[in-house]
Amino acid sequence: MRRPNRYLWFAVSIAAGLALGLVYGWVVNPVKYVDTPPSNLRADYKADYALMTAEIYAADKDLTLASYRLTRLGEETPLRAVQQAILTGRELGYSEDDIALLAALAEALEALPPTAGGTP
Amino acid sequence: MKEKRGPWYLFTGLAFGLVVGVLYSWLAAPVQFLDTNPAALHPDFRAEYRALIALAYMADGDLGRAQARLMLLQDEDPSAALKAQASRAVQAQRPEREVQALDALAARVARAGELQTALLTPAEETLLTPPPGAETPQDLEVTPTPRQDQMILTPTATPLAAATARPTFTPRAVLKASFALSGRQEVCDRELPQGLLQIEILDSAGKPVAGVRTVMAWAGGENAFYTGLNPRISPGYADFQMAPGVVYSLKVGESGETITGLTPHQCTPEGTQTGEGAAPTPESAFWGGVRLRFAQK
């Protein structure tokens, strides 16, 4: 009668240890990502990143460089990154001037040769 | 003979479970940080971000915005970080414009910091207090200090951390609404790109609606896009470049109807449509587009 009890308590102690380990690893001291890429940025930071790119593009008209910068955001295409930024900007209440800057960059990117199947 | 064991087996189990739990949470299924902030960027990307801030400052001249952006990087001394990066940029033979932008912003941020420090320190009191023995100007009008009940109290706005505010994607009710086709027009306009599908989406009050997801599908693919990406035309506007000979179907919104059989058609120079499928002769005809209007049900 004594032996099964010991096994039970042994299993309980393992489960308790496991639970403590998970809490420690996920909550108390989780893995810290300190060297993340821009594609992991939160949506509002991504939108601001795209806005900076649009501001610079408005001044230098260097579409190649703007396009390269936007690829950092990890979207399907640079155009998609700007479109997403416009939507996020609208949600966050960006000024019309900022939206216009993003729109100008989107228009310039849209003018690039289309991909197969069609382009939105 | 009675076997006598202590509670050590419990500690063994606990330790075993703890080790497995930590290993699982750190290695097998670590916490995923998808929504990171610029301070968590890899140093190379941080440098790119800083350069972007500087170049954007050069473009728009908005120091407040540049400072707010620099704060996101959480550098102890943003001006020093900019200067250091400018030096590294020179060594790495980065474009001259980038170096100039970093230098200019570093200087501007440093100057702004000095000014702020000067305003906050009591040094101004010593400047305003005449030194002993100095003559007090007689023609200065003495303004009595108003009592509190004579003052107009204006609340000081607490600066909002706009740059770090988490976006709240509260979907507007209209985005989930369903839309029905309310108008369709074949367009023959040489001024427009050939085969252009134009969409305009309106709410029940007839106002254009931005942010509506539309999906264009064709044999072998599909593409989702949103209204509102061409704000110069209309917040409810979206367009799509159709390829001749490809038949598309379009779905507007999450529960809207699907429009099928969309394809570019031939137009004559006079603006009349002549059919679909065969390529128009280069001189005389061109591919027309379609204009669709949807209204909220």
Side-chain angles (χ1 to χ4, degrees), chain A residues 34-38 41 49 52 56 68-69 72, chain B residues 37-56 69-70 72-75 78 80-90 92 94-95 97-99 101-103 105:
Chain A
V34 289
D35 290 342
T36 59
L41 286 174
Y49 190 104
M52 284 193 278
I56 298 164
Y68 169 75
R69 285 174 177 140
R72 295 281 196 221
Chain B
N37 60 51
L41 289 173
H42 183 276
D44 291 347
F45 294 129
R46 281 169 64 90
E48 273 189 27
Y49 201 95
R50 204 177 283 113
L52 267 188
I53 294 170
L55 287 164
R69 284 167 171 164
L70 285 171
L72 299 176
L73 290 172
Q74 296 175 14
D75 293 319
L82 285 162
K83 268 184 198 163
Q85 187 169 330
S87 305
R88 287 196 301 273
V90 171
R94 299 285 305 162
R97 215 164 59 88
E98 183 179 314
V99 177
L102 287 163
D103 268 333
L105 184 57

Side-chain angles (χ1 to χ4, degrees), chain B residues 20-33:
Chain B
V20 172
V22 170
L23 287 178
Y24 182 80
S25 59
W26 279 356
L27 303 177
V31 175
Q32 296 289 321
F33 289 93

Side-chain angles (χ1 to χ4, degrees), chain A residues 26 34 40 44 55 72 98 119, chain B residues 29 34 40 48 65 165 224 241:
Chain A
W26 280 342
V34 289
N40 279 16
D44 53 345
E55 286 171 352
R72 295 281 196 221
D98 289 342
T119 49
Chain B
L34 290 176
E48 273 189 27
R65 175 175 270 188
Q241 187 65 57

Side-chain angles (χ1 to χ4, degrees), chain B residues 189-274:
Chain B
D189 187 347
R190 273 198 185 277
E191 300 293 313
L192 293 172
Q194 295 194 38
L196 188 71
L197 173 73
Q198 298 170 284
I199 302 162
E200 191 175 22
I201 299 177
L202 307 172
D203 64 11
S204 50
K207 289 182 179 172
V209 188
V212 178
R213 187 174 191 264
T214 54
V215 178
M216 196 74 168
W218 62 94
E222 69 171 37
N223 206 333
F225 53 103
Y226 293 83
T227 57
L229 301 176
N230 290 290
R232 287 180 189 176
I233 300 174
S234 162
Y237 175 86
D239 59 30
F240 182 90
Q241 187 65 57
M242 297 188 289
V246 180
V247 180
Y248 299 87
S249 63
L250 173 76
K251 188 180 179 190
V252 174
E254 296 302 319
S255 56
E257 65 178 301
T258 301
I259 312 298
T260 56
L262 295 167
T263 190
H265 60 274
Q266 291 178 41
C267 293
T268 62
E270 292 77 31
T272 55
Q273 55 177 325
T274 58

Side-chain angles (χ1 to χ4, degrees), chain B residues 67 80 103 108-109 141 170 185 193 223 225 242 255 296:
Chain B
Q67 283 180 310
D103 268 333
R108 195 72 184 82
V109 169
E141 224 176 85
T170 311
Q185 186 188 354
N223 206 333
F225 53 103
M242 297 188 289
S255 56
Q296 189 180 350

Side-chain angles (χ1 to χ4, degrees), chain A residues 61-83:
Chain A
K61 299 292 176 197
D62 190 338
L63 192 57
T64 310
L65 199 51
S67 186
Y68 169 75
R69 285 174 177 140
L70 292 167
T71 57
R72 295 281 196 221
L73 295 177
E75 298 293 335
E76 201 180 317
T77 60
L79 175 60
R80 186 78 75 200
V82 183
Q83 291 174 334

